[in-house]
Amino acid sequence: DTGVSQNPRHKITKRGQNVTFRCDPISEHNRLYWYRQTLGQGPEFLTYFQNEAQLEKSRLLSDRFSAERPKGSFSTLEIQRTEQGDSAMYLCASSFGQGPGYTFGSGTRLTVV
Amino acid sequence: DAKTTQPPSMDCAEGRAANLPCNHSTISGNEYVYWYRQIHSQGPQYIIHGLKNNETNEMASLIITEDRKSSTLILPHATLRDTAVYYCIANTGNQFYFGTGTSLTVIP
């Protein structure tokens, strides 16, 4: 069990560029979650998958954001036409069923300049 | 999900018990109370959860009042490594609302 792995750890991009983050969950976990965290705030839910199906999306997930989990293994989160307001830590977590609890990765810190 | 209220910050002396309160007065009957913590620059870490009964594991104890309107997370012997933001969450399990948590500082 190597935990939840997120890549890259840091990403700096220019406004208007597209970025993609990857999350590798714990292998036996069937649920995968994406959260976003801005400075001084707690993580905010974005979306979750059960196997390859995306079952829930927050209203925070605008049409510039898309998440996939092909084959129910790793997941990618893409942000198109990045804006400065997208600067945040993007956290991935996984669980088997509802838990108990999730295991979080260390996150990808995005800075949009 | 029920809204939770936590003090923004607390201090605790190293080696003493840290008692972190949480108010969840609007919790519904099927909502669990979860506690996570987040050490700077890391993802949140699951600590413990419960529904009605008090719970204990190797990390902490969770005391839930009989009316379930509040709970307390107890770290029995706080160490410097317990310095973190602690989040109390009341929900039914699919997604968590973290709020801003309690920033616990363990003082040597």
Side-chain angles (χ1 to χ4, degrees):
Chain A
D1 178 0
T2 57
V4 177
S5 176
Q6 292 190 247
N7 287 288
R9 288 296 312 274
H10 303 273
K11 178 72 176 178
I12 300 174
T13 191
K14 291 184 178 179
R15 190 173 49 189
Q17 297 294 304
N18 299 344
V19 293
T20 300
F21 311 137
R22 178 179 170 124
C23 172
D24 288 275
I26 292 173
S27 58
E28 61 267 29
H29 285 182
N30 59 347
R31 289 195 176 192
L32 186 147
Y33 310 82
W34 285 99
Y35 280 74
R36 181 178 72 182
Q37 185 172 24
T38 53
L39 201 60
Q41 302 298 313
E44 298 172 292
F45 171 80
L46 292 178
T47 188
Y48 96 90
F49 293 83
Q50 179 155 305
N51 301 312
E52 65 274 11
Q54 188 172 17
L55 295 186
E56 204 165 333
K57 292 196 290 186
S58 161
R59 64 182 184 279
L60 292 175
L61 210 68
S62 76
D63 55 7
R64 295 185 299 105
F65 287 69
S66 63
E68 294 182 343
R69 193 183 183 199
K71 303 178 184 177
S73 56
F74 71 92
S75 176
T76 57
L77 178 68
E78 180 183 18
I79 309 175
Q80 295 183 327
R81 306 180 303 281
T82 52
E83 302 172 356
Q84 285 190 319
D86 297 331
S87 294
M89 175 76 83
Y90 289 84
L91 292 160
C92 175
S94 69
S95 68
F96 183 76
Q98 290 189 346
Y102 309 159
T103 302
F104 278 86
S106 296
T108 293
R109 180 166 295 285
L110 173 67
T111 303
V112 181
V113 298
Chain B
D1 295 346
K3 181 178 171 60
T4 61
T5 305
Q6 299 177 252
S9 63
M10 292 181 63
D11 293 338
C12 177
E14 188 179 17
R16 306 296 290 266
N19 296 279
L20 292 90
C22 179
N23 181 289
H24 32 78
S25 57
T26 61
I27 195 168
S28 61
N30 62 344
E31 286 184 312
Y32 285 78
V33 178
Y34 286 81
W35 283 83
Y36 280 76
R37 72 180 182 184
Q38 188 172 26
I39 296 168
H40 184 61
S41 297
Q42 297 182 20
Q45 176 190 24
Y46 165 79
I47 301 173
I48 198 166
H49 77 289
L51 184 62
K52 296 182 194 177
N53 300 322
N54 299 337
E55 302 288 343
T56 295
N57 63 21
E58 65 278 5
M59 289 181 69
S61 295
L62 173 61
I63 308 298
I64 304 173
T65 57
E66 195 169 338
D67 62 8
R68 299 206 334 118
K69 292 185 177 182
S70 65
S71 61
T72 301
L73 179 75
I74 301 172
L75 308 178
H77 306 286
T79 71
L80 300 179
R81 288 177 297 179
D82 293 322
T83 292
V85 178
Y86 287 77
Y87 297 100
C88 167
I89 302 157
N91 87 322
T92 52
N94 281 343
Q95 55 168 286
F96 292 142
Y97 173 72
F98 279 81
T100 52
T102 296
S103 178
L104 174 70
T105 301
V106 180
I107 301 167

